[in-house]
């Protein structure tokens, strides 16, 4: 018989789950019932969550820093604008005016942030004061050289791209000043300065009553540095996420890809070389889907090996059983030409006819047995009323009895006890019907003339018990189990040779076991303790509609 060899694997393959559990566990929720599924999801979600959380935290930090810078500039600018409005504006004869010199002096005194820039524009957008330009100050410092249009801070001429960027920055500033002048409300946001640096900008209009006399613009740089620092702070999160992804990929490769590949190679070895001893990786201790696959493959290969052995034995038994009638037929034919006595020739012809009938019956039973597995797999079980089926089978046998044949024929009777609730089972009607037809035919073949075959059905502990009894010679005690083997026949003295093929009871047991039931044989005893006949008992699980 073919065997399946489980080869020990190193611990690097790993067994996910606790030792000591055996057999696959079926769960209806995934990945709740899948440890490997939970591992896959946890590792990948963890890696993704690290990146997402890091990005969210840093984005909130950047937004918070920018908003805080805007609030600080707005508060400072409103204070300076209020002072300028009070001390550097006056009501003229026709309209209010802004004293540019006084406003510039106030700006130079109040604005002392060296890392920021403040500029004062009039209503037409002309620069009145700039914190980067020191005038009339006691404290002085060396300023960068004056930059002409089209030059950078070093005095080098700008290229076309740099000049275009500087022009776009000037237009953005002009637009911001115009918006503050037009609306009379502060304008805040981020823009690119003339130097190409991203700055936080606040433009606050200077008003006297409703007239906008100028615009105070405060700028704070360092936004690029903040973004660069954020990107550097994000690098550790990215590195950790990449490490987690790499580790998860390696684990998935070692826990899934490698074992599945080895199982596939073992299956290819069977397919390509026709091996009967199959070497599978030892993964039965794993409590995940790969372990389930390994156990299923082992069970499948065991079943296939047993099926192949059964087919080989069946083929050998068929050849042996067919050879017997063929040998008898050949002997009768060889002798027929040598016999001249009409009575002897008639006996030889009767033997030939009997052997032909026996061979025909044997071939029919072999055909039915070979198609049994296909029929069982092709037809799906359904709820079946067994009492109705038995009644129809018994009525069919009774209908075959003609009035002239009744005195010497074997009758079939049915008795059902405990008829309620309905005697239903989950089964395939055609094969189950064949079981009881085989049992009835077997009982009739061994029953005496004018005998009776009795069918009884009862219920016990969620099962249906169906017994088929006859009044024949019974079964030898040593053969109560062997009669279910293929091609086994027990011919009591006086019975015709070849009346049974020896497959009926074997087919019946195979069908009953396929439906989760059992079948057994026993002898009926009379009052004196003598054998009064044979009894076959079929037990099938019942269901309620």
């Amino acid at each position: 018989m073919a065997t399946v060899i489980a080869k020990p694997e190193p611990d690097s393959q790993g067994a996910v789950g606790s030792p000591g559990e055996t057999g696959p566990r079926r769960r209806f929720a995934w990945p709740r019932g899948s440890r490997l599924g939970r591992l896959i999801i946890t590792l990948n979600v963890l890696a993704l969550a690290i990146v997402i959380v890091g990005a969210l935290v840093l984005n909130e930090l950047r937004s918070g820093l920018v908003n805080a810078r805007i609030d600080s500039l707005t508060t400072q600018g409103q204070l300076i604008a209020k002072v300028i409005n009070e001390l550097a504006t006056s009501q003229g004869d026709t309209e209010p005016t802004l004293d540019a010199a006084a406003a510039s002096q106030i700006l130079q005194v109040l604005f002392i942030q060296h890392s920021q820039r403040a500029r004062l524009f009039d209503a037409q957008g002309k620069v009145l004061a700039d914190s980067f330009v020191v005038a009339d100050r006691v404290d002085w410092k060396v300023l960068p050289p004056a930059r002409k249009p089209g030059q950078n801070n070093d005095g080098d001429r700008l290229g076309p791209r740099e000049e275009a960027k500087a022009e776009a920055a000037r237009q953005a500033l002009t637009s911001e000043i115009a918006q503050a002048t037009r609306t009379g409300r502060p304008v805040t946001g981020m823009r690119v300065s003339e130097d190409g640096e991203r700055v936080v900008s606040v433009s606050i209009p200077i008003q006297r009553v409703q007239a906008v006399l100028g615009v105070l613009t405060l700028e704070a740089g360092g936004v690029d540095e903040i973004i660069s620092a954020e990107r550097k702070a994000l690098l550790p999160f990215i590195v950790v996420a990449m490490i987690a992804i790499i580790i998860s990929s390696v684990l998935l490769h070692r826990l899934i890809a490698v074992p599945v590949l080895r199982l596939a190679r073992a299956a290819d070895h069977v397919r390509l070389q026709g091996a009967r001893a199959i070497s599978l990786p030892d993964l039965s201790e794993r409590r995940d889907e790969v372990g389930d696959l390994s156990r299923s493959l082992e069970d499948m290969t065991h079943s296939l090996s047993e099926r192949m052995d059964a087919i080989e034995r069946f083929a050998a038994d068929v050849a042996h059983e067919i050879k017997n009638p063929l040998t008898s037929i050949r002997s009768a034919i060889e002798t027929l030409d040598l016999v001249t006595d009409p009575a002897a020739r008639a006996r030889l012809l009767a033997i030939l006819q009997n052997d032909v009938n026996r061979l025909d019956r044997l071939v029919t039973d072999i055909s039915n047995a070979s198609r049994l597995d296909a029929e069982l797999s092709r037809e799906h079980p359904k709820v079946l009323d067994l009492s109705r089926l038995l009644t129809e089978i018994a009525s069919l046998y009774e209908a075959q009895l003609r009035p002239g044949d009744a005195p010497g024929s074997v009758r079939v009777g049915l008795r059902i006890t405990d008829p309620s609730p309905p005697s239903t089972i989950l089964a395939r009607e055609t094969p189950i019907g064949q079981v009881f037809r085989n049992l009835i035919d077997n009982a009739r073949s061994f029953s005496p003339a004018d005998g009776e075959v009795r069918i009884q059905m009862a219920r016990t502990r969620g099962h249906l018990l169906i017994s088929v009894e006859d009044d024949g010679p019974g079964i030898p005690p040593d053969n109560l189990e062997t009669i279910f083997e293929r091609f086994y026949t027990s011919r009591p003295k006086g019975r015709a040779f070849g009346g049974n093929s020896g497959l009926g009871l074997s087919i019946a047991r195979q069908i009953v076991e396929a439906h989760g039931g059992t079948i057994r044989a026993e002898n009926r005893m009379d009052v004196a303790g003598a054998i009064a006949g044979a009894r076959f008992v079929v037990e099938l699980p019942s269901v309620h509609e």
Side-chain angles (χ1 to χ4, degrees), residues 198-377:
R198 290 171 59 87
V199 296
V200 178
S201 176
V202 175
S203 295
I204 301 175
I206 298 175
Q207 295 176 285
R208 186 172 183 86
V209 190
Q210 296 295 330
V212 178
L213 304 179
V215 177
L216 175 64
T217 300
L218 304 182
E219 299 176 358
V223 177
D224 291 336
E225 288 77 5
I226 295 175
I227 296 177
S228 177
E230 290 176 0
R231 290 175 178 173
K232 291 180 180 179
L234 189 60
L235 287 178
F237 293 95
I238 296 176
V239 171
V240 173
M242 291 300 298
I243 292 175
I245 291 175
I246 292 174
I247 293 176
S248 65
S249 301
V250 172
L251 287 176
L252 292 178
H253 173 71
R254 295 184 66 85
L255 295 176
I256 297 179
V258 173
V260 171
L261 180 60
R262 301 196 66 173
L263 292 175
R265 288 176 177 174
D268 291 338
H269 178 71
V270 177
R271 178 177 59 86
L272 297 176
Q273 301 184 10
R276 297 292 295 270
I278 305 166
S279 177
L280 293 177
D282 188 11
L283 305 174
S284 58
E285 295 300 325
R286 291 184 52 159
R287 308 309 310 161
D288 53 30
E289 286 77 1
V290 176
D292 294 342
L293 176 61
S294 175
R295 288 185 290 271
S296 298
L297 285 177
E298 289 182 5
D299 296 339
M300 181 189 69
T301 50
H302 276 300
S303 300
L304 288 176
S305 297
E306 293 176 355
R307 181 66 59 85
M308 293 172 66
D309 292 338
I311 292 175
E312 292 176 357
R313 292 194 301 269
F314 183 76
D317 294 340
V318 167
H320 176 73
E321 292 297 322
I322 292 179
K323 187 175 181 180
N324 289 335
L326 288 178
T327 301
S328 177
I329 292 175
R330 183 178 61 182
S331 299
I333 292 176
E334 292 175 352
T335 308
L336 187 61
D337 294 337
L338 303 178
V339 177
T340 57
D341 183 22
R345 290 179 64 88
R347 286 195 299 271
L348 287 176
L349 291 176
I351 292 174
L352 285 173
Q353 184 177 4
N354 182 64
D355 287 337
V356 169
N357 293 334
R358 177 189 174 190
L359 187 60
D360 178 71
R361 181 169 54 254
L362 184 61
V363 171
T364 301
D365 290 342
I366 291 173
S367 176
N368 294 334
S370 61
R371 293 198 307 266
L372 182 58
D373 287 338
E375 293 177 356
L376 291 175
S377 61

Side-chain angles (χ1 to χ4, degrees), residues 120 229 508:
L120 180 62

Side-chain angles (χ1 to χ4, degrees), residues 455-511:
I455 306 174
Q456 301 183 28
M457 184 173 65
R459 189 185 313 279
T460 174
R461 298 187 304 275
H463 287 72
L464 295 178
L465 294 178
I466 306 96
S467 63
V468 179
E469 302 177 351
D470 60 48
D471 298 327
I475 305 171
D478 296 337
N479 296 337
L480 292 176
E481 185 63 27
T482 56
I483 59 174
F484 293 102
E485 296 178 358
R486 284 196 303 265
F487 301 112
Y488 175 85
T489 57
S490 178
R491 295 181 294 274
K493 187 177 181 179
R495 295 291 174 182
F497 177 81
N500 301 90
S501 65
L503 287 174
L505 296 181
S506 174
I507 293 174
R509 167 165 282 188
Q510 186 176 354
I511 295 174

Side-chain angles (χ1 to χ4, degrees), residues 427-445:
R428 305 165 181 83
E429 183 172 0
T430 302
I432 286 294
Q434 183 180 0
V435 169
F436 295 105
R437 286 193 298 271
N438 289 353
L439 295 179
I440 293 173
D441 290 339
N442 181 78
R444 293 181 66 190
S445 66

Side-chain angles (χ1 to χ4, degrees), residues 43-55 237:
L43 291 176
N44 288 278
V45 170
L46 179 60
L48 184 61
I50 293 173
V51 177
I52 293 176
V53 171
F237 293 95

Side-chain angles (χ1 to χ4, degrees), residues 65-66 68-78 80 107-108 110-119 129-134 137 141 143 191 193 195 197-202 216-223 226:
L65 290 175
V66 172
R69 188 70 60 88
I70 290 176
D71 293 340
S72 176
L73 293 178
T74 301
T75 301
Q76 187 176 1
Q78 288 176 346
I80 297 174
L107 179 63
Q108 296 291 346
L110 295 181
F111 191 79
I112 59 175
Q113 296 290 334
H114 297 292
S115 62
Q116 299 175 0
R117 185 178 186 180
R119 282 181 284 185
D130 191 341
S131 64
F132 278 12
V133 178
V134 180
R137 295 285 301 274
K141 62 180 180 179
L143 298 178
R191 58 180 175 81
S193 67
D195 297 332
E197 181 185 8
R198 290 171 59 87
V199 296
V200 178
S201 176
V202 175
L216 175 64
T217 300
L218 304 182
E219 299 176 358
V223 177
I226 295 175

